[in-house]
Amino acid sequence: MATGHTVKAFDEDLGQLRALISEMGGRAEAAITGALEALVNRDLESAARIVEGDRKIDELEAEVERQVVRLIALRAPMADDLREVLAALKIAGVVERMGDYAKNIAKRISLLQETRGMEALAVLPPMGKIATEMVRNVLDAFVLRDAEAAVAVAARDKAVDDFYNSLFRTLLTYMMENPHNITASTHLLFIAKNIERIGDHATNVAEMVYFAATGKQMAERTKGEDSLAGDR
Amino acid sequence: MKYEALPRTGQESAMSDRRGAHAVLAFAMVAGAAWLLAAPLAASLVVGVGAAFFTWIAGAASGEPAALVPAPVVDLPDRTQEVIDAVDDALLIIERQRITYANHAARRLFGAERVEGDYRLALRHPVAADLIASDRETGDPVEIAGLGDADRRWVMSVRHVEGGAKLVTLRDRTDSWIAERMRVDFVANASHELRTPLATILGFIETLNEGRAVEDTAIRQRFLGIMMGEAKRMQQLVDDLISLSRIEADRFSVPQTPLALGPVIEEVAGVIRSGLREGGDRIELAIESAPEVRADRVQIGQLLHNLIGNAIKYGRPATPIRVALDQAQGRVRLRITDQGEGISPEHLPRLTERFYRVDAGRSRSVGGTGLGLAIVKHIAERHRATLDIESKVGVGTTVTVTFPVISRESLS
């Protein structure tokens, strides 16, 4: 923890802002884990709870925005404070998106009642596990202002992308084999895409945490092959 | 755009003021101990101040008859801090959204930095956030997954302390959760392992029933051979399950009969040699004189069968399998070494789990129930022996079982 400001209220405002982000992140993290669990267990009830819970994440984002505007207007933050406030604003937006992806996954569960035994379904949980761990670790990095941990999170994104690419191929094969599988496969593909996007967003947050902590941009990560291209 | 960090003015950190926390904590403990202390306090006042004051104080501070109150052995209020720090459960006191006290367990769980400041930095879980934000106390403790570590399970309770503070208790329930999950997994695995050969047998019966295959003797023989093999696999699995549960049932009764391990090893090696169609000479024995150990002869035989069987299955063809018995540091040491592909380190801790497979496809082809090492582990535990598996990838594996010798007093 850095040394405090002359105006203690400023420290309190910053602490409040960080706490809001942390809570938002915690909710998004739980929503993602819950959505994937509900997907595996076909648990429509908890899926509905996750969809409902997304509203709270949206409210928190609005609250973060209000706080940031107030903080900039009243305290005119400088240097690392300004970086932190801006990072908080951007992270809130990204975390809200992650919550939306979780909600999107949860919404598809009711449409996926006839996919029992599909191999792709078995690949989703490990893929989701990496993505949730990324979210979890990046939130820890944010709370502890740990630039190194943020770099470690960004490095894992490649694994999620690889999962997505292999799933894309598998699902494409399913669809070609049997047109009856197309609806279910498409939903699974969207779910996989959502998880992949969650991983990307976790990486974005990692970059913001890195910037807020060090004042430097994280070195550009090497891009893998274009995941949109699929089977060429 | 880049910002250069400006040096901050060195001010006292707003977060580090813990006096408030101590006050609340002390209050909570003192409130509980107040009536305990009332009696001796009152007694000392009798001498010092006078009878009139004593009556007043005793009446005001304690409704209990003074004779029934035991004198405290330790001066509790002075030790409050240490006592609470030593509690195994994570304890947090939260006042106006801020953690004002965290005991050792809580600091270990969240890290020292995160317990200084807003509670939401440490407790991100939505259930926890909702509970603490609301003005309710928890009735029954609430289960929470993944605090600190994604695979851990906690139960949380929130209690209100006087003065508007909240006492949050987190109890680690990971162990019982894992035990429950293992039980579920075991049932699922066992039924799966039983169903697979059964499905094969049923399939062949159906085919044989259709008629045409029955006329062709060669095909019929082949089908019956497969069915026999699968039925034997089921039998083996059921036998293993039964012996596993039997060994587990008497794991607390240490075997009493003194037994020389050398002859048992020779006998088992003989049985295995005669059972092998080829390569029976692979087993090399190196038996040195060793004292007797307290052991169950049948179970030691089973342990040897499983370990030598594994060595034969996973050692490279035609390589020797060495079974050695000797004495090391006053204990009897049994070692079984093969020259095979070895096992990579990440699998070693899980080898004795039931149905755990390093390579599922390969194990299927060499046979086995997936219970062999679990049985070995339980037998070793019952004999108070230690089981140690060492392996080098590409070189081979050595399994060591070390038995305690019979102490002299217990012999007489």
Side-chain angles (χ1 to χ4, degrees), chain A residues 1 3-6 16 18-20 22-23 26-27 29-30 79-83 136 139-140 143-144 211, chain B residues 1-4 6 8-9 11 14-15 97-98 113-114 118 120-121 124 126 129-130 146 148-150:
Chain A
M1 173 106 334
T3 45
H5 289 87
T6 319
Q16 169 77 0
R18 295 167 59 74
L20 278 172
S22 180
E23 187 189 342
R27 282 178 191 277
E29 184 191 327
D80 56 344
D81 296 332
L82 180 58
R83 287 205 304 270
R136 177 185 190 81
L139 290 171
D140 283 342
V143 167
L144 300 172
F211 177 70
Chain B
M1 56 182 178
K2 282 183 182 174
Y3 301 94
E4 286 303 317
L6 288 177
R8 289 173 181 274
T9 47
Q11 281 280 330
M15 309 277 182
Q97 305 219 321
R98 173 158 293 187
E113 288 155 77
R114 269 195 271 184
D118 196 292
R120 286 170 293 182
L121 293 177
R124 276 204 302 262
D130 285 343
D149 196 337

Side-chain angles (χ1 to χ4, degrees), chain B residues 9-316:
Chain B
T9 47
Q11 281 280 330
E12 174 199 3
S13 167
M15 309 277 182
S16 65
D17 187 355
R18 298 278 261 323
R19 267 167 302 174
H22 292 183
V24 173
L25 206 61
F27 182 83
M29 292 303 285
V30 169
W35 68 273
L36 275 181
L37 291 168
L41 179 70
S44 69
L45 283 172
V46 181
V47 187
V49 184
F53 192 47
F54 163 66
T55 356
W56 176 77
I57 254 265
S62 143
E64 301 282 321
L68 291 178
V69 181
V73 182
V74 288
D75 196 3
L76 199 55
D78 287 346
R79 300 194 140 215
T80 314
Q81 179 80 51
E82 293 134 62
V83 168
I84 292 179
D85 264 343
V87 173
D88 280 339
D89 297 340
L91 298 174
L92 296 168
I93 288 182
I94 296 171
E95 285 172 278
R96 272 175 272 105
Q97 305 219 321
R98 173 158 293 187
I99 297 173
T100 47
Y101 174 78
N103 71 346
H104 275 315
R107 267 172 282 167
R108 258 201 314 278
L109 168 59
F110 296 114
E113 288 155 77
R114 269 195 271 184
V115 293
E116 305 201 352
D118 196 292
Y119 74 88
R120 286 170 293 182
L121 293 177
L123 276 167
R124 276 204 302 262
H125 199 285
V127 176
D130 285 343
L131 252 176
I132 297 170
S134 75
D135 273 332
R136 284 182 299 127
E137 286 196 358
T138 43
D140 292 326
V142 188
E143 264 193 57
I144 288 182
L147 281 181
D149 196 337
D151 291 328
R152 285 168 84 181
R153 293 290 183 282
W154 302 83
V155 288
M156 183 179 103
S157 67
V158 179
R159 294 274 173 270
H160 289 192
V161 182
E162 242 172 276
K166 289 167 188 172
L167 175 69
V168 177
T169 315
L170 290 158
R171 182 164 299 166
D172 194 346
R173 281 291 165 80
T174 313
D175 288 349
S176 58
W177 179 73
I178 288 176
E180 171 63 14
R181 204 181 48 176
M182 275 172 74
R183 192 188 61 77
V184 172
D185 283 356
F186 175 70
V187 173
N189 280 330
S191 23
H192 174 79
E193 296 281 334
L194 284 170
R195 203 181 56 184
T196 318
L198 193 59
T200 316
I201 293 172
L202 287 174
F204 279 107
I205 290 177
E206 263 175 38
T207 319
L208 285 174
N209 213 13
E210 268 166 23
R212 248 181 312 157
V214 190
E215 289 151 29
D216 189 330
T217 326
I219 291 181
R220 196 179 60 212
Q221 282 307 320
R222 195 163 62 84
F223 282 7
L224 286 172
I226 296 170
M227 286 165 64
M228 189 66 174
E230 293 294 311
K232 279 199 172 142
R233 217 175 104 194
M234 283 183 77
Q235 188 191 25
Q236 182 64 46
L237 182 60
V238 172
D239 283 351
D240 277 0
L241 284 171
I242 290 172
S243 53
L244 194 58
S245 77
R246 194 174 295 151
I247 300 162
E248 254 193 320
D250 44 49
R251 66 179 178 279
F252 294 117
S253 72
V254 186
Q256 290 305 320
T257 336
L259 179 75
L261 293 180
V264 186
I265 296 173
E266 275 162 10
E267 187 193 313
V268 171
V271 172
I272 295 177
R273 274 189 193 125
S274 60
L276 281 181
R277 262 163 291 170
E278 53 198 84
D281 51 348
R282 283 173 66 193
I283 305 172
E284 283 174 12
L285 300 184
I287 298 169
E288 289 175 23
S289 68
E292 294 185 330
V293 296
R294 289 192 189 282
D296 180 321
R297 194 185 167 92
V298 177
Q299 289 189 356
I300 295 295
Q302 198 174 9
L303 177 141
L304 285 163
H305 259 289
N306 288 353
L307 289 179
I308 299 175
N310 274 354
I312 291 172
K313 273 185 233 158
Y314 296 105
R316 272 186 290 272

Side-chain angles (χ1 to χ4, degrees), chain A residues 83 87 90-91 94 203-213 218:
Chain A
R83 287 205 304 270
K90 287 167 80 179
I91 290 172
V94 174
T203 313
N204 289 342
V205 175
E207 283 165 1
M208 295 168 202
V209 170
Y210 186 88
F211 177 70
M218 194 187 282

